[in-house]
């Protein structure tokens, strides 16, 4: 059974920073394409950042502010979020897809729609102005 557990969410003011963590229960995280998605109330789930096959992918809205990284020894995926904006307020989800390699825009968009693979329960991020 694969389990993903997110942590690190919270409430911050605009301009602040948060670091999300995703603990992955399998010891082969490097075999998965891992990603962060988010969903705000009344909006569709959207990809934020992906990590796989030695490559990273970012949504245009977070480029230059967010950084995704992975520690294979700890089986943990991270999302460092800087210069947070009220528009970043959402539930953030960690997800893993076995066998996929490099995340691309098309793959991330499809993944967010069909929600295949493995998903965590989410961690809430709230940014106040």
């Amino acid at each position: 059974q694969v389990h993903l557990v997110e942590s690190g969410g919270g409430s911050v003011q605009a301009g602040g920073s948060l670091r999300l963590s995703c603990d992955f229960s399998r010891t082969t995280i490097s075999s998965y394409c891992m990603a962060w998605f988010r969903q705000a109330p009344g909006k569709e789930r959207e990809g934020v950042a992906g990590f796989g096959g030695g490559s990273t992918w970012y949504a245009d809205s977070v480029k230059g502010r967010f950084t995704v990284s992975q520690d294979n020894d700890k089986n943990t995926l991270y999302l460092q979020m800087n210069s947070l904006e009220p528009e970043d307020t959402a539930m953030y989800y960690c997800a893993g897809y076995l066998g996929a390699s490099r995340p691309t825009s098309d793959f991330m968009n499809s993944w967010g729609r069909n929600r295949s693979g493995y998903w965590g329960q989410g961690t809430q991020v709230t940014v106040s102005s």
Side-chain angles (χ1 to χ4, degrees):
Q1 190 77 11
V2 176
H3 294 285
L4 289 79
V5 179
E6 303 96 334
S7 62
S11 297
V12 296
Q13 290 190 327
S17 297
L18 284 173
R19 188 194 195 201
L20 305 183
S21 298
C22 172
D23 291 326
F24 187 71
S25 65
R26 286 291 178 89
T27 60
T28 54
I29 190 174
S30 59
S31 297
Y32 289 71
C33 181
M34 301 297 295
W36 291 96
F37 291 82
R38 67 186 180 187
Q39 188 166 16
K43 294 188 176 181
E44 293 186 353
R45 191 167 295 192
E46 63 175 356
V48 176
F51 187 102
S55 297
T56 56
W57 174 92
Y58 296 96
D60 288 343
S61 59
V62 306
K63 283 180 181 177
R65 300 188 299 122
F66 291 11
T67 302
V68 63
S69 61
Q70 182 169 297
D71 187 329
N72 292 339
D73 292 335
K74 295 182 178 179
N75 296 318
T76 303
L77 182 75
Y78 302 99
L79 184 68
Q80 178 66 44
M81 305 186 296
N82 299 327
S83 302
L84 282 161
E85 303 168 353
E87 292 74 22
D88 296 316
T89 295
M91 183 71 77
Y92 282 71
Y93 298 91
C94 175
Y97 195 102
L98 179 63
S101 53
R102 302 173 63 182
T104 63
S105 293
D106 287 344
F107 177 75
M108 292 293 294
N109 290 335
S110 175
W111 191 2
R113 286 194 302 271
N114 62 42
R115 302 187 187 182
S116 52
Y118 303 99
W119 291 77
Q121 294 299 307
T123 185
Q124 178 67 38
V125 172
T126 302
V127 185
S128 58
S129 58

